[in-house]
Amino acid sequence: MISITDAAVTALKDVLKEQNKEDHLLRVFIAGIGCGGPSYGLALEKEAADVDKTVEVGAVKIVYDGELEKTVENLVIDYIDNEMGTGFIVEDPTAEHCGGGCSGCH
């Protein structure tokens, strides 16, 4: 269900070390749903809740609410570093987009 690129693993390990949070989990969550489909957020957490699912991918422990499993088939966590900026992104290559802009979604 969730994969993470090598670039994201490396960047995340750097962040965890810099923040002295090497024992933390990476939470993936739905931050909102808009015309382009769901947008996802990432956060660091000390421990998982009882309703959470935890997976280890690429030596990174990822946690998500069990409900997330029902809404997405495949998520890819990546780290970008280009002329547009740097940061983590979460993509759902199976998400359907309306393609018509916000006015075309209603």
Side-chain angles (χ1 to χ4, degrees):
M1 176 178 153
I2 297 177
S3 62
I4 185 167
T5 65
D6 292 341
V9 169
T10 300
L12 180 60
K13 286 182 178 181
D14 289 346
V15 168
L16 292 171
K17 187 173 184 174
E18 288 171 10
Q19 295 185 11
N20 197 26
K21 294 183 176 182
E22 294 168 295
D23 59 342
H24 281 55
L25 307 166
L26 178 65
R27 174 167 297 280
V28 179
F29 59 93
I30 295 177
I33 298 177
C35 293
S39 61
Y40 299 93
L42 299 172
L44 298 177
E45 292 191 1
K46 182 73 174 164
E47 54 190 50
D50 291 340
V51 297
D52 288 335
K53 306 275 186 182
T54 304
V55 295
E56 190 163 336
V57 182
V60 172
K61 290 183 182 175
I62 300 172
V63 64
Y64 56 94
D65 184 296
E67 292 296 312
L68 181 65
E69 193 169 46
K70 297 175 185 175
T71 59
V72 295
E73 293 179 25
N74 188 30
L75 289 181
V76 179
I77 301 169
D78 197 4
Y79 183 79
I80 57 167
D81 185 358
N82 59 34
E83 64 278 351
M84 299 296 288
T86 61
F88 293 94
I89 59 170
V90 182
E91 297 178 314
D92 180 0
T94 62
E96 293 186 27
H97 305 287
C98 69
C102 287
S103 62
C105 295
H106 303 294

